[in-house]
Amino acid sequence: MFASDISSSRRRFLKGAGASVCALSIFPKKLRANHTKVSKGEAYSVLVDLTRCIACRACSRVCVKANGLDPADDGSNVSPQHCETLAYNKWSTVNVENVPEPMHKSLAVGVKRQCMHCLEPACVSVCPVGAFSQTEKGPVIYRSQRCIGCRYCMIACPFEIPKFNWHSGFTPVVGKCQFCAQNRLFKGLPPACVEACPTGALKFGSREKLLFEAKVRVKANPKKYIKHIYGENEIGGTSWLYLSGIPFEKLGFKSNLPTSPIPSFTWEVVSRIPIIIAALSGLFGMVAFSLKKHIKDQDDLPKAGAS
Amino acid sequence: MKLLGWIFLIGVVTIFFWAACAVAFGRYTQTVKRLCRYTLRIFWLVSLGVLILRFGKGLGAISAMSDKFPWGVWIGLLQSGVALAAGGFVTAATVHIFHIRRFEVILRPMVLTAFLGYLFVAMTLFVEVGRPQRLWHPLVMWQHTSIMFEVAWCVTLYITVLMIEFSPVIFEHLDMPKVVKAIHYGAIPIVIVGVILSTLHQSSMGSMFLVMPEKIYPLWFSPLLPVFFLISAVAVGLCTAIIESFFSHKLFGRSLEIPLLQSLAAAAQIVLLVYFGLKMVDISMRKEWQSMWTVPWLGVSFGIELFGCVLLPIILFSIPAVRLHVRGLVFTSFLVGGGIILNRINVSWFSLIPYTHTTYFPTWMELCVSLFFVTLTVVAFGLAAHHLPVFPKAGGKIPPQTSSEPNLN
């Protein structure tokens, strides 16, 4: 009789626990943490107008110099066929994308790539040691002193920007564009690449102003530009904004990005952890001790508790 | 060199597999044993060489991982290791929280398995992480929004809990009954802490992938990933208990309680059924069934994982011919275990291939490192089972002392 009591209370517990876990996990969460302390309008920003880029790679070269990097490819090869790739010691690249046109000619467009400096960056939120951080004015910077080399940032970054030094045994680092935050922005200078650009394809300013200017440019010249400012809404907005005359997906930009920031996906889970701990310890504690008491009461019957 | 490496690795795996089969079918003769030992020694020497290369020349020298594919096969295997270690917390909860005492006979081996499983994870992390000398950083440099931070804490705390849970065995061996008794009093709180840590950790293994909604193939990406990882881990934990009881019976001559294995199988069946149902509902709700066909080989992989290794075991466990025979139970459990490993590899490796447009395939050295750690774990288990009172004497209750174990070989 007692045995059936115990097993039925066990069963009741399992049902209750299952239901509450389901409720905890399915119940929608209204609170969404705003991870950023950066105001969207005032963030430092760069507008890249791809229609003005002549692929001279001045930005690539000056980036290497300004940040003291020593990549195998320093950007001095300006042939359009040459392909630059981002690496831990190469933070900015320009590649010429050939876009096939319907009229049997192809259009060559220079595309600069570097960290997009998301307003709500995935890398900052996923790094277990806080090696990535976002400064108050938006630039997302990496400090190697904390890095353990887990490469979660590389997996999490929607633009696949952080790169890793695969050839160091104990001291590999991750590398990505720092927005020249420490060596230039804090001194009131624009990023090195912006300063080096001879055609005005890059423009530095506050995000609000640049967004406005981008919209003005698109409106003034609707034939030249497509009606999409890349970075305005992608994963909650980025500090680097792109204008183009050709749809972005044809230039190798990710076109399937969600508009909600990446950190919100895990925050859904992380924010529930305290309540899960509390609920589980309460439930298990109750069951364990109450069943123990039941069993103690019938200690004389050694195998009755097992059913 | 590359070809030689692969031939060597495949040879080693074949010999170990053959030895495992020999054990399973009761043909583990002295010759097999000796061959196994020599292979192991050579294999360990080669693996140590690979490890020296890794720490001398970096990850790029031994692995096929690259900037385009920064997480390789190690992550999948590491996650499988975590899942296979779930038997520890499932059994501990059964015995100490639900007080189903007849499972006490498998408690110690399962806790040992969990402990060694987590050691496997820690060893893999030590090689996988770029700067292993800084593995303690997450414990000091808090970053609470990171799932990886949660994982680091859970692994550390849970290894500690497992050590405490396993320590009575060592104290019994050292003949210190007072300490054993003291730990026994604290058993329930310790087990509860362990269960909570496991719940968090198993599910956070899935939460890790929530940050790449656009990268993971839609068959696998789901907001419910943490729930799936937790449920499947519970199922595979029950199945490892079956497998392990069988092998310890064969190797160490332990008595085999078939009714116990059958209840484990019945529990696993229910958990698998819940998992299967949730998975079905999830994919139907997200309307992603057509993804089975858009990338056919991923569809096949998904089919094997879900229908071959979840649905099939559910059916097999309910067929009397399978359920009543040890080999049937063990075979089905292997199916479930294999399915979980495939699932973890699918999520962390295969599902990323269409997005990244790169084909990552591990080098033989990567697999060599993993197999090295697996063999270390297995050998450690064997040594512990041989020298410590891990298994109860034939008949049931855990023996009070370690002495007089006649059929221990």
Side-chain angles (χ1 to χ4, degrees):
Chain A
M1 205 186 122
F2 246 103
S4 72
D5 241 25
I6 289 170
S7 68
S8 79
S9 74
R10 237 175 239 146
R11 227 164 276 146
R12 233 181 301 132
F13 164 78
L14 280 177
K15 272 183 208 158
S20 43
V21 166
C22 286
L24 275 177
S25 54
I26 289 164
F27 193 68
K29 198 117 172 124
K30 277 179 195 134
L31 275 172
R32 190 174 69 68
N34 200 7
H35 291 284
T36 174
K37 46 190 187 289
V38 180
S39 99
K40 275 197 174 189
E42 281 167 32
Y44 283 142
S45 194
V46 173
L47 177 64
V48 186
D49 191 334
L50 296 180
T51 61
R52 297 184 183 179
C53 179
I54 54 166
C56 64
R57 297 203 173 115
C59 48
S60 298
R61 286 191 296 277
V62 79
C63 174
V64 168
K65 217 184 274 172
N67 294 295
L69 308 172
D70 65 343
D73 170 14
D74 62 354
S76 52
N77 185 344
V78 290
S79 121
Q81 282 85 34
H82 180 65
C83 176
E84 288 192 311
T85 39
L86 288 173
Y88 76 98
N89 53 6
K90 178 138 181 104
W91 299 345
S92 169
T93 62
V94 173
N95 281 311
V96 178
E97 304 279 341
N98 288 307
V99 184
E101 284 286 279
M103 321 286 252
H104 297 293
K105 58 174 184 178
S106 84
L107 204 63
V109 184
V111 179
K112 174 168 159 44
R113 299 198 136 269
Q114 75 299 310
C115 173
M116 297 289 284
H117 295 276
C118 309
L119 295 175
E120 293 194 38
C123 52
V124 173
S125 114
V126 300
C127 179
V129 287
F132 285 88
S133 58
Q134 190 176 31
T135 58
E136 271 171 39
K137 287 288 219 165
V140 179
I141 54 174
Y142 163 82
R143 291 193 199 89
S144 65
Q145 298 93 299
R146 288 175 163 229
C147 182
I148 58 171
C150 69
R151 311 190 292 287
Y152 196 17
C153 47
M154 303 172 74
I155 281 282
C157 177
F159 303 105
E160 297 174 45
I161 294 300
K163 303 293 178 197
F164 187 70
N165 180 0
W166 295 94
H167 296 287
S168 170
F170 281 102
T171 53
V173 289
V174 169
K176 76 166 196 71
C177 160
Q178 307 273 67
F179 217 140
C180 290
Q182 270 136 334
N183 49 2
R184 294 182 63 96
L185 290 198
F186 290 166
K187 294 176 193 156
L189 297 164
C193 52
V194 175
E195 209 175 57
C197 183
T199 62
L202 306 175
K203 188 168 183 190
F204 176 68
S206 76
R207 192 165 183 271
E208 199 174 28
K209 277 185 193 156
L210 289 182
L211 257 182
F212 180 73
E213 177 165 348
K215 280 173 188 164
V216 169
R217 281 192 208 172
V218 173
K219 209 158 195 185
N221 221 335
K223 276 190 184 155
K224 192 175 164 194
Y225 295 105
I226 55 156
K227 264 192 173 174
H228 180 185
I229 303 167
Y230 195 86
E232 186 183 8
N233 297 314
E234 272 76 12
I235 58 152
T238 61
S239 295
W240 280 62
L241 304 163
Y242 281 76
L243 275 180
S244 165
I246 290 161
F248 285 104
E249 58 269 23
K250 287 186 186 169
L251 298 175
F253 285 77
K254 313 281 177 206
S255 57
N256 63 342
L257 296 179
T259 49
S260 48
I262 300 285
S264 63
F265 287 86
T266 38
W267 183 247
E268 284 281 304
V269 177
V270 173
S271 59
R272 284 202 189 91
I273 289 173
I275 196 164
I276 289 175
I277 293 178
L280 285 183
S281 48
L283 279 171
F284 283 130
M286 240 161 57
V287 170
F289 286 107
S290 63
L291 283 179
K292 194 183 181 187
K293 222 179 138 202
H294 270 295
I295 287 168
K296 218 172 184 181
D297 290 344
Q298 40 152 10
D299 223 10
D300 306 329
L301 310 160
K303 287 212 168 164
S307 66
Chain B
M1 185 66 200
K2 215 171 156 186
L3 189 68
L4 268 179
W6 277 110
I7 292 170
F8 169 71
L9 193 69
I10 292 168
V12 168
V13 171
T14 317
I15 289 172
F16 287 153
F17 182 73
W18 178 50
C21 288
V23 172
F25 293 101
R27 303 249 165 80
Y28 193 53
T29 55
Q30 285 298 323
T31 332
V32 182
K33 211 172 182 173
R34 211 172 295 135
L35 180 69
C36 222
R37 279 192 179 157
Y38 284 125
T39 320
L40 202 61
R41 274 173 208 162
I42 296 167
F43 175 66
W44 280 358
L45 270 180
V46 173
S47 307
L48 281 177
V50 172
L51 284 185
I52 289 169
L53 196 61
R54 183 257 171 263
F55 287 110
K57 296 213 161 171
L59 279 167
I62 67 157
S63 80
M65 290 186 281
S66 66
D67 281 339
K68 286 220 146 208
F69 219 103
W71 277 5
V73 70
W74 285 337
I75 294 289
L77 292 176
L78 189 150
Q79 290 202 320
S80 313
V82 170
L84 293 171
F89 91 90
V90 175
T91 328
T94 315
V95 173
H96 285 292
I97 295 178
F98 298 112
H99 297 279
I100 307 175
R101 291 277 159 196
R102 69 201 169 100
F103 288 99
E104 204 159 345
V105 287
I106 58 162
L107 180 58
R108 285 180 169 190
M110 287 320 286
V111 169
L112 177 62
T113 314
F115 179 60
L116 292 174
Y118 272 82
L119 274 190
F120 167 76
V121 169
M123 288 189 287
T124 308
L125 269 181
F126 203 82
V127 176
E128 206 271 343
V129 152
R131 297 187 178 217
Q133 72 275 26
R134 287 184 177 174
L135 267 180
W136 52 274
H137 272 195
L139 304 182
V140 183
M141 302 170 182
W142 286 37
Q143 219 288 78
H144 71 276
T145 56
S146 170
I147 298 285
M148 193 68 93
F149 165 75
E150 189 199 334
V151 168
W153 266 97
C154 282
V155 170
T156 318
L157 290 179
Y158 191 50
I159 285 187
T160 318
V161 166
L162 282 170
M163 277 202 278
I164 299 172
E165 279 181 15
F166 188 69
S167 63
V169 180
I170 293 161
F171 288 122
E172 247 174 45
H173 182 67
L174 299 174
D175 205 14
M176 295 160 83
K178 274 184 187 164
V179 186
V180 176
K181 216 173 176 188
I183 295 170
H184 191 73
Y185 275 119
I188 290 180
I190 292 168
V191 168
I192 291 177
V193 171
V195 172
I196 291 171
L197 286 172
S198 291
T199 311
L200 291 177
H201 181 213
Q202 296 285 355
S203 57
S204 61
M205 281 286 149
S207 321
M208 276 207 306
F209 294 99
L210 289 178
V211 288
M212 3 184 204
E214 79 289 350
K215 293 187 190 175
I216 293 186
Y217 196 65
L219 277 177
W220 286 283
F221 183 82
S222 153
L224 287 182
L225 263 178
V227 180
F228 289 147
F229 269 56
L230 177 62
I231 300 178
S232 55
V234 172
V236 82
L238 293 163
C239 290
T240 22
I242 296 175
I243 294 171
E244 208 180 87
S245 306
F246 174 71
F247 274 95
S248 51
H249 161 70
K250 286 286 176 187
L251 268 179
F252 304 105
R254 299 293 152 208
S255 68
L256 198 60
E257 286 188 53
I258 296 179
L260 198 73
L261 300 192
Q262 281 165 347
S263 357
L264 284 172
Q269 196 184 12
I270 295 168
V271 180
L272 283 173
L273 205 59
V274 172
Y275 178 72
F276 185 73
L278 259 182
K279 203 92 180 168
M280 286 290 167
V281 171
D282 172 63
I283 294 178
S284 309
M285 294 261 277
R286 291 186 292 112
K287 301 192 181 65
E288 288 295 353
W289 282 112
Q290 83 275 9
S291 300
M292 289 281 283
W293 291 275
T294 41
V295 183
W297 73 273
L298 280 178
V300 169
S301 190
F302 181 80
I304 295 173
E305 173 206 317
L306 194 62
F307 299 108
C309 299
V310 176
L311 186 61
L312 187 64
I314 294 174
I315 298 166
L316 283 178
F317 275 143
S318 54
I319 298 171
V322 175
R323 203 177 45 209
L324 295 178
H325 293 96
V326 183
R327 292 228 169 95
L329 287 173
V330 171
F331 173 77
T332 316
S333 303
F334 263 113
L335 212 54
V336 176
I340 257 43
I341 294 174
L342 180 60
N343 170 257
R344 301 308 193 245
I345 284 176
N346 270 336
V347 172
S348 65
W349 167 12
F350 293 163
S351 73
L352 292 171
I353 288 175
Y355 178 83
T356 50
H357 303 294
T358 27
T359 42
Y360 157 83
F361 194 81
T363 60
W364 69 271
M365 288 186 273
E366 266 176 284
L367 294 174
C368 186
V369 168
S370 283
L371 190 64
F372 175 52
F373 293 146
V374 170
T375 52
L376 277 186
T377 319
V378 172
V379 169
F381 187 91
L383 285 177
H386 194 96
H387 293 291
L388 298 170
V390 174
F391 292 101
K393 269 199 285 186
K397 284 253 164 186
I398 288 172
Q401 292 134 23
T402 164
S403 56
S404 69
E405 293 270 306
N407 48 3
L408 206 132
N409 198 2

